[in-house]
Amino acid sequence: MKDTEPGKSERRALITGATGQDGSFLAELLLEKGYEVWGMVRRSSVGRYERIEHLMGNSRFHIRYGDMTDAVSLVRLAADLRPDEVYNLAAQSDVGISFEVPAYTAQTDALGTLYLLEAVRAAGLEKSCRVYQASTSELFGGSAGIPLGEDTPFHPRSPYAAAKQYAFSICRNYREAYGMFISNGILFNHESERRGENFVTRKITLAASRIAHGLQDRLHLGNLDARRDWGFAGDYVECMWRMLRHPRPDDFVIATGRQHSVREFCSLAFRYAGMEIAWRGAGPDEQGVDKKTGRVLVDVLPELFRPADVESLLGNPEKAVALLGWTPEKTSFEKLVRRMVEFDMKYVLK
Ligand code: NAP
Ligand code: G4F
């Protein structure tokens, strides 16, 4: 696999959502591969660039303002930059919060994707520019223990998933209708020490670290039985890049093929933070107690349950293994949890 096209010394990539978890890892990867990288960021009254601050001094990394809800800004960006590759990662990505801001989620995640594809077309790039769309395992709405693959029907269970279903479909439609190179990455949950603090994994590793240092009393969680196929974000962004190096546009499931419950994630994170949890009680009365002291470390709050939840997600990454050379569980579940706790044990003291 060549890193550069023949006759071209440097490819130019535009990343929407560059300040997010995946955007920051992807920007690092593309810079390592010799790309000129343009990150789209939105204006904020506070500097919110901590995930990409370390890239700011790189002469091949640039930022431009834009917003997925502002079609004009996307048209201008595509026309000015004329990118070879666009990675559409920008989204209101919190499933729980999408129940509270459903229309904004649809505007950003669904219509925003349409605007971006139209911007690529308006710039006359439909034959040259390759587009990656951040699709999601949330589209499936659950797996009931059966691994989910590219042919599994969708059943979105949140405004977020419904918006992402539109984005997935419009990407496929533009691929078929206009012959554009657009690939959907159907990514299962991927985490890291850069994960937003609302997502359950980071909420747990931060809380375990704060509790270990005496900075927090206990952790409140919702559905402890939810099961996810959790991988490491740094591994997953490599697949995004590989999808655009593949000879044909296509849709790919990226997953580890293993799943764990929220409860299991919790037990492991607290263990790495120096505490062994024993679980007692059931349903809303369930508690995680410190085996040594009997102190309650984790409890369940009914208000943290979603109006509809995806109970179980398990992916079948066979196609990506065969066609993209993807290695599932490159970073194991245990390594991922340890990495996040090790980071947060220091982070919470800053
Ligand atoms: P994230 O950390 O929440 O980052 C989202 C990014 O989108 C941020 O840079 C955010 O900017 C930006 N954004 C949000 N609304 C925007 C708008 N209206 N205009 C412009 N930018 C906007 O998400 P992530 O975990 O990196 O995920 C990246 C993408 O993959 C998302 O599309 C997500 O839905 C999808 N995905 C994620 C996972 C996962 O497990 N992480 C799995 C499947 C799919 P601010 O920093 O200014 O908020
Ligand atoms: O960490 P979560 O908020 O991630 P969720 O909903 O699976 O969504 C993430 O992964 C998707 C891919 O499948 C992405 F498309 C999406 O953008 C996002 O990155 O919740 C995981 C599970 C849920 O079942 C939730 O109900 O954990 C359960 N949970 C239990 N207690 C909790 C909590 N989730 C959160 N956020 N906070 C809790 O206290």
Side-chain angles (χ1 to χ4, degrees):
M1 202 175 285
K2 280 181 118 185
D3 284 359
T4 49
E5 305 281 0
K8 223 174 173 191
S9 59
E10 200 173 75
R11 279 202 302 272
R12 181 178 292 171
L14 169 64
I15 303 175
T16 72
T19 53
Q21 170 187 256
D22 291 6
S24 65
F25 280 114
L26 180 66
E28 279 170 13
L29 178 86
L30 296 181
L31 288 168
E32 268 166 41
K33 295 196 174 292
Y35 281 68
E36 180 186 318
V37 178
W38 291 78
M40 188 182 92
V41 302
R42 35 180 192 165
R43 194 264 162 184
S44 158
S45 64
V46 285
R48 286 191 304 187
Y49 305 141
E50 58 257 36
R51 293 190 182 105
I52 52 169
E53 244 160 26
H54 60 295
L55 304 177
M56 293 299 196
N58 190 316
S59 60
R60 282 184 287 108
F61 182 71
H62 315 274
I63 57 171
R64 283 278 297 260
Y65 288 105
D67 195 297
M68 297 306 290
T69 61
D70 176 358
V72 176
S73 71
L74 302 177
V75 166
R76 187 175 296 136
L77 271 183
D80 286 358
L81 301 177
R82 304 189 66 74
D84 303 294
E85 295 175 15
V86 173
Y87 294 86
N88 184 29
L89 309 185
Q92 192 303 92
S93 72
D94 191 305
V95 177
I97 291 175
S98 78
F99 286 96
E100 290 169 44
V101 289
Y104 174 71
T105 303
Q107 281 156 11
T108 301
D109 301 8
L111 274 184
T113 303
L114 172 68
Y115 297 156
L116 185 64
L117 298 182
E118 278 298 323
V120 170
R121 291 188 65 223
L125 301 174
E126 67 266 41
K127 294 290 175 235
S128 61
C129 180
R130 297 184 169 202
V131 180
Y132 171 84
Q133 169 58 20
S135 287
T136 164
S137 50
E138 284 289 311
L139 294 173
F140 296 121
S143 62
I146 302 149
L148 303 157
E150 291 79 5
D151 296 328
T152 309
F154 293 153
H155 183 137
R157 287 178 58 78
S158 62
Y160 166 79
K164 284 284 188 176
Q165 184 175 22
Y166 174 83
F168 177 95
S169 301
I170 202 68
C171 283
R172 251 197 191 171
N173 175 246
Y174 273 43
R175 186 163 81 206
E176 291 166 6
Y178 304 118
M180 291 172 72
F181 192 115
I182 308 172
S183 291
N184 279 293
I186 309 173
L187 270 53
F188 283 62
N189 299 52
H190 44 278
E191 317 293 315
S192 73
E193 64 283 2
R194 298 185 199 173
R195 189 57 146 148
E197 299 185 10
N198 271 346
F199 297 97
V200 77
T201 56
R202 189 78 198 288
K203 183 174 168 183
I204 293 169
T205 59
L206 279 167
S209 304
R210 289 195 186 109
I211 292 171
H213 288 302
L215 301 170
Q216 184 173 331
D217 178 36
R218 66 170 74 170
L219 166 64
H220 306 299
L221 288 174
N223 186 0
L224 294 172
D225 291 318
R227 299 180 73 76
R228 289 290 182 275
D229 182 331
W230 277 299
F232 170 52
D235 296 339
Y236 283 44
V237 297
E238 197 193 323
C239 286
M240 300 177 185
W241 171 76
R242 282 177 185 254
M243 279 179 224
L244 297 199
R245 310 302 341 121
H246 192 61
R248 283 173 311 285
D250 206 340
D251 305 322
F252 293 94
V253 160
I254 306 297
T256 70
R258 287 170 192 269
Q259 61 169 196
H260 299 271
S261 66
V262 170
R263 190 182 293 100
E264 284 164 357
F265 190 103
C266 231
S267 294
L268 200 55
F270 276 83
R271 176 174 301 159
Y272 290 143
M275 293 158 276
E276 286 295 328
I277 290 188
W279 296 96
R280 66 178 190 207
D285 297 325
E286 184 164 356
Q287 291 183 326
V289 298
D290 188 329
K291 270 191 189 165
K292 239 194 232 161
T293 63
R295 174 185 159 199
V296 176
L297 300 173
V298 184
D299 64 11
V300 172
L301 280 191
E303 52 266 44
L304 292 175
F305 283 73
R306 295 174 183 172
D309 202 4
V310 172
E311 286 293 332
S312 163
L313 285 172
L314 175 65
N316 174 1
E318 270 171 20
K319 180 175 170 182
V321 171
L323 298 182
L324 301 179
W326 161 237
T327 313
E329 277 213 290
K330 208 171 168 185
T331 304
S332 68
F333 177 68
E334 290 73 19
K335 258 196 201 160
L336 170 67
V337 181
R338 185 188 283 275
R339 177 187 173 115
M340 292 176 71
V341 173
E342 281 178 359
F343 178 90
D344 281 335
M345 287 293 277
K346 293 182 199 134
Y347 179 79
V348 297
L349 294 179
K350 282 185 188 159

